[in-house]
């Protein structure tokens, strides 16, 4: 019996032993306008990308948001670790220093922007995302979707993705790009010129895979009103000071 056949049979046998809830769909289906990064096409786009400086450092720090409201916190933690900002000790790893979605709030400056409890309840606005980032030694530029043209949106983000040691977080309305449901925050890791698509490393890893989304669709999704701030969503450019 060939090795592959044996493995296939073992896997099939294994299925019978797994509780049914573990066989549930691991992520939601993608609408046709989005390209799954975990596909042949998705992989080709990354290989062809001329703006992917941020892909490796971000993927090495890829976080899954700790709860349904922590997309912004998980995204910030990825950037802090990718930029090697001096981190506090992580309780769970005793003497090792690293930002986590828990110790991120140990910085007293974050409390002046928004409390951990409030973020846990309602997430954060674009402005609060910028403010929380500024609690650390970072240079932060906040852009609202309603204040930039598609050309400026694309150019500013592509410029960043072509440079090392700076990063982009995007705040967008999921339903605007065909996903469920409300406002969301995640890092952008690459741009593919020919298809005019950005790669979002979605921190809701239990819900969606990373996707390639059309620049215009993502721009439209940032040009939506956040009911908390009553301002449009947008994106943030971040570098260390
Ligand atoms: Ca960059």
């Amino acid at each position: 019996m060939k090795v592959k056949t044996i493995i296939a049979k073992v896997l099939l046998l294994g299925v019978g032993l797994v509780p049914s809830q573990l066989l549930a769909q691991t992520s939601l289906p993608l609408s046709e306008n989005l390209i799954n990064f975990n596909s042949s096409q998705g992989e080709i786009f990354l290989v062809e990308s001329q703006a992917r400086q941020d892909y490796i450092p971000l993927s090495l720090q890829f976080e899954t948001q700790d709860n349904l409201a922590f997309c912004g916190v998980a995204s910030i933690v990825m950037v802090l670790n990718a930029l090697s900002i001096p981190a506090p000790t992580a309780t769970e790893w005793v003497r090792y220093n690293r930002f986590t979605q828990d110790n991120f709030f140990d910085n007293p400056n974050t409390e002046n922007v928004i409390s951990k409890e409030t973020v846990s309840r309602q997430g954060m606005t674009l402005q609060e995302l910028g403010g929380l980032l500024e609690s650390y030694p970072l240079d932060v530029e906040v852009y609202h979707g309603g204040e930039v043209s598609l050309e400026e949106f694309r150019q500013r983000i592509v410029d960043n993705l072509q440079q090392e040691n700076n990063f982009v977080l995007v705040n967008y309305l999921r339903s605007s790009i065909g996903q469920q449901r409300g406002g969301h925050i995640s890092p952008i890791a690459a741009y593919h010129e020919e298809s005019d698509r950005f790669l979002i490393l979605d921190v809701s890893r239990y819900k969606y895979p990373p996707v390639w989304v059309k620049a215009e669709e993502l721009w439209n999704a940032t040009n939506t009103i956040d009911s908390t701030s009553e301002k449009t969503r947008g994106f943030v450019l971040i570098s260390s000071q």
Side-chain angles (χ1 to χ4, degrees), residues 53-54 159-168:
Q53 287 294 331
D54 298 351
D159 283 351
N160 185 295
L161 296 172
Q162 289 175 332
Q163 298 163 14
E164 295 177 350
N165 299 318
N166 54 23
F167 295 96
V168 187

Side-chain angles (χ1 to χ4, degrees), residues 1-239:
M1 192 181 291
K2 289 181 180 176
V3 173
K4 275 187 179 175
T5 312
I6 295 170
I7 292 171
K9 282 183 181 293
V10 168
L11 287 174
L12 279 171
L13 284 170
V15 164
L17 303 173
V18 178
S20 58
Q21 63 268 31
L22 295 183
L23 295 174
Q25 199 167 26
T26 53
S27 61
L28 299 175
L30 287 181
S31 58
E32 286 182 1
N33 59 311
L34 301 173
I35 294 174
N36 191 335
F37 180 43
N38 187 20
S39 67
S40 306
Q41 186 67 79
E43 187 179 336
I44 289 167
F45 280 179
L46 183 68
V47 171
E48 291 179 348
S49 169
Q50 298 296 308
R52 54 174 175 176
Q53 287 294 331
D54 298 351
Y55 173 74
I56 288 178
L58 286 173
S59 62
L60 290 174
Q61 308 296 344
F62 203 170
E63 294 267 328
T64 302
Q65 64 186 81
D66 279 355
N67 61 55
L68 293 177
F70 262 28
C71 54
V73 179
S75 300
I76 294 172
V77 165
M78 285 174 67
V79 169
L80 289 171
N81 285 326
L83 285 170
S84 300
I85 301 298
T89 306
T91 316
E92 54 270 60
W93 302 312
V94 192
R95 62 185 177 279
Y96 295 99
N97 294 62
R98 180 178 172 79
F99 282 103
T100 67
Q101 293 169 56
D102 185 45
N103 73 14
F104 164 75
F105 287 97
D106 289 350
N107 177 339
N109 297 330
T110 61
E111 187 74 20
N112 297 328
V113 180
I114 186 170
S115 70
K116 183 179 184 179
E117 290 67 34
T118 307
V119 176
S120 302
R121 213 169 42 245
Q122 64 188 41
M124 65 182 73
T125 65
L126 180 70
Q127 214 63 44
E128 289 160 348
L129 173 67
L132 287 173
L133 284 159
E134 284 175 337
S135 303
Y136 286 90
L138 300 169
D139 286 325
V140 180
E141 294 175 35
V142 174
Y143 294 91
H144 287 273
E147 295 170 352
V148 292
S149 64
L150 170 60
E151 289 68 32
E152 184 180 356
F153 176 83
R154 182 191 291 112
Q155 195 58 53
R156 286 192 182 279
I157 297 176
V158 170
D159 283 351
N160 185 295
L161 296 172
Q162 289 175 332
Q163 298 163 14
E164 295 177 350
N165 299 318
N166 54 23
F167 295 96
V168 187
L169 298 183
V170 66
N171 174 209
Y172 58 106
L173 182 64
R174 276 198 186 280
S175 59
S176 181
I177 62 167
Q179 292 188 325
Q180 296 179 19
R181 303 160 48 195
H184 193 53
I185 296 168
S186 278
I188 300 180
Y191 173 74
H192 182 254
E193 188 168 11
E194 194 181 332
S195 67
D196 193 23
R197 285 174 184 266
F198 287 109
L199 175 63
I200 298 177
L201 291 186
D202 195 327
V203 293
S204 303
R205 297 170 80 177
Y206 49 84
K207 186 173 173 185
Y208 287 115
V211 293
W212 288 97
V213 55
K214 281 273 189 191
E216 186 170 8
E217 290 178 10
L218 187 57
W219 172 65
N220 281 329
T222 64
N223 191 9
T224 52
I225 299 290
D226 181 331
S227 59
T228 305
S229 64
E230 299 185 337
K231 292 181 177 174
T232 55
R233 297 179 174 86
F235 64 97
V236 184
L237 305 180
I238 308 135
S239 56

